[in-house]
Amino acid sequence: MGSKTGVERFSISAPPDLVKEFDSAIRSLNQDRSKAIQQSMRLFLSEHNWTRGGGECAGAIVLVYDHSVHEVGEELTDIQHESRAVINSVLHIHVDDKNCLEIIAVRGGVDGLKALIDQLTACRGVKVLKHTIIGI
Ligand code: NI
């Protein structure tokens, strides 16, 4: 379906509520659907490309957790000790009475970093986890 103009057209299916919210967001940002979808595709690729190279990677994992959840702090510390080979540094911020934010600087192979992210994500009490990792 390639065309002479250098763009490819395709159709996608999505739940109506998601489309409505998406259209409302792009209107407020003065964008159009095509540009916003392209941006979303690039974000998706940057989020997943590092896992495909198989080489050395580096980046940051940011997570927010509720430290009042039983033993979550100890569990996170145990996981980080086990993965110390790929962790360069950790910044801990006490956000409010309940919540802590940690920025974990990482460098290592894809498998080690994926395992670390999976373990942290599975930890009860972790509310948000995002990462930015690139192949180096
Ligand atoms: Ni804290």
Side-chain angles (χ1 to χ4, degrees), residues 65 67 92-102:
Y65 68 94
H67 82 96
H92 184 104
I93 299 160
H94 308 300
V95 177
D96 56 30
D97 288 348
K98 269 186 141 186
N99 296 294
C100 300
L101 184 148
E102 282 190 348

Side-chain angles (χ1 to χ4, degrees), residues 6-117:
V7 295
E8 184 158 329
R9 291 180 185 279
F10 63 98
S11 63
I12 58 169
S13 307
D17 288 354
L18 179 62
V19 174
K20 199 173 163 190
E21 197 177 340
F22 185 72
D23 282 344
S24 159
I26 61 180
R27 255 197 315 275
S28 70
L29 293 166
N30 259 339
Q31 283 208 14
D32 61 51
R33 269 188 181 164
S34 290
K35 280 208 176 111
I37 292 286
Q38 286 168 35
Q39 201 178 329
S40 304
M41 289 170 76
R42 287 194 188 96
L43 271 174
F44 178 88
L45 289 170
S46 70
E47 193 138 304
H48 297 284
N49 267 348
W50 68 276
T51 63
R52 304 196 309 179
E56 175 106 341
C57 301
I61 300 167
V62 178
L63 59 92
V64 176
Y65 68 94
D66 178 346
H67 82 96
S68 68
V69 172
H70 186 59
E71 289 186 343
V72 63
E74 289 84 347
E75 200 179 325
L76 288 171
T77 303
D78 285 347
I79 293 167
Q80 291 180 32
H81 275 266
E82 282 162 25
S83 291
R84 63 189 177 280
V86 297
I87 295 177
N88 292 107
S89 173
V90 182
L91 177 65
H92 184 104
I93 299 160
H94 308 300
V95 177
D96 56 30
D97 288 348
K98 269 186 141 186
N99 296 294
C100 300
L101 184 148
E102 282 190 348
I103 303 168
I104 306 170
V106 292
R107 180 177 182 154
V110 171
D111 292 343
L113 296 182
K114 270 165 81 174
L116 173 59
I117 290 167

